[in-house]
Amino acid sequence: KKPVRITSMSFRTDGSALKYGIAPLAVGRSDGTITIWDLSPPSDEDDDFRDDDKIIMGRTLLCEMERVHYPGGVNKLQYLPQEPLLVSTGSHSNAILMHIFDNPDHSGRILRQRLGHTAPPKCIRYLHPGAGTGGGVLANMADGTDAHACQILSTGSTDRTLRKFSTVRSVLDKEFSQGKGLEKRAKDLGMTSKADLLLPPVIALATSEVRTRDWGDLVTIHRNHAFAYVWSSKNGSQSGPTLRQDDWNVSAMKKQP
């Protein structure tokens, strides 16, 4: 088993931490996990932390955020001055996350994030270049540009993901879902990530603007895979059905869908 190393640390200094009497330290690890420790000393009445009449500094685990930067591990952690906000980056995850600590139990959650592929994509194209001429309009820019037409499909990477990026509004960025509960299922199977449960890399795709709000508007085919899959850009997920021609060689599949 590969040893886990500490890769970054940062201390929190905001007033709310002082109010609750905690001294949080964020620790980033090489396995992508972030742990938050309370380093405040125990009270004089706490005999469990005494050793030969010397108070041992407390090491209470406040929360643990597992594999938020996988693969590659955590590269850098930094609490924002006087704020309960932690910014984290990964070595190979191609992600920057902002975590906020506003829960009564001092646990953290992701407030904002920017994510990308963990390996170079092979297929890139605009989602619906002509959306402004009759397709579904998502939002308009001040100069009249259709924001829907500024969305890019990106896939074909060895990370097996299908992503949508907006060149004008980062809030529209998303990874297309390939099924519910994949993270939990991967954990139950002892896998390090959900990547092995995803479809093989995309080798070609096609889109259609016709009635995109009513049914799937994207079709993909995959490496060494005999089926084609229909996706909905509106829902950001597979929308069915699974397609196959009679002459497609199912025996060539390396992995069942």
Side-chain angles (χ1 to χ4, degrees):
K1 186 177 180 179
K2 189 176 181 180
V4 177
R5 299 175 290 104
I6 293 176
T7 57
S8 184
M9 295 188 296
S10 182
F11 288 94
R12 179 176 157 190
T13 60
D14 64 284
S16 63
L18 298 176
K19 176 182 177 181
Y20 287 108
I22 57 176
L25 169 66
V27 178
R29 306 189 327 204
S30 58
D31 64 351
T33 297
I34 298 174
T35 55
I36 310 298
W37 298 85
D38 178 16
L39 298 188
S40 59
S43 63
D44 294 338
E45 292 79 13
D46 195 342
D47 294 334
D48 293 337
F49 289 89
R50 288 184 171 273
D51 183 14
D52 296 333
D53 296 328
K54 293 181 179 180
I55 297 178
I56 301 176
M57 296 298 291
R59 296 180 179 85
T60 304
L61 181 63
L62 295 177
C63 73
E64 184 175 64
M65 298 174 283
E66 295 185 351
R67 297 184 180 275
V68 291
H69 288 289
Y70 186 88
V74 176
N75 179 52
K76 177 67 175 177
L77 296 177
Q78 183 64 58
Y79 274 111
L80 300 187
Q82 304 302 319
E83 296 286 348
L85 301 174
L86 175 69
V87 177
S88 66
T89 60
S91 298
H92 304 296
S93 63
N94 194 21
I96 179 170
L97 309 177
M98 177 179 285
H99 315 263
I100 185 170
F101 299 86
D102 57 355
N103 294 318
D105 60 356
H106 311 302
S107 61
R109 59 184 176 87
I110 295 177
L111 180 64
R112 296 184 179 90
Q113 59 183 350
R114 293 301 301 269
L115 306 173
H117 291 287
T118 59
K122 300 295 181 62
C123 300
I124 300 176
R125 61 165 296 170
Y126 281 103
L127 175 58
H128 296 310
T133 61
V137 178
L138 183 63
N140 291 324
M141 304 299 294
D143 62 358
T145 302
D146 179 10
H148 199 138
C150 298
Q151 296 182 84
I152 296 174
L153 291 172
S154 178
T155 187
S157 168
T158 54
D159 65 11
R160 302 185 178 187
T161 61
L162 171 61
R163 295 182 178 274
K164 180 175 64 175
F165 297 99
S166 172
T167 59
V168 293
R169 296 181 63 189
S170 61
V171 71
L172 300 178
D173 296 354
K174 68 168 56 180
E175 175 185 346
F176 281 68
S177 171
Q178 298 190 29
K180 295 181 179 179
L182 290 183
E183 293 282 2
K184 183 179 185 303
R185 183 181 176 190
K187 186 175 182 180
D188 293 342
L189 294 174
M191 299 177 177
T192 56
S193 75
K194 67 177 183 180
D196 291 336
L197 299 177
L198 302 180
L199 292 168
V202 174
I203 57 175
L205 56 86
T207 62
S208 174
E209 301 175 38
V210 179
R211 299 184 67 177
T212 58
R213 298 183 184 276
D214 298 322
W215 50 62
D217 54 350
L218 168 65
V219 178
T220 60
I221 57 174
H222 302 255
R223 182 185 304 164
N224 299 318
H225 204 74
F227 291 90
Y229 291 84
V230 179
W231 308 74
S232 168
S233 63
K234 175 186 175 183
N235 299 327
S237 63
Q238 290 182 28
S239 61
T242 301
L243 308 176
R244 183 176 73 86
Q245 296 286 352
D246 293 337
D247 57 347
W248 288 359
N249 185 7
V250 180
S251 63
M253 294 175 59
K254 291 185 177 180
K255 185 177 179 181
Q256 294 294 325

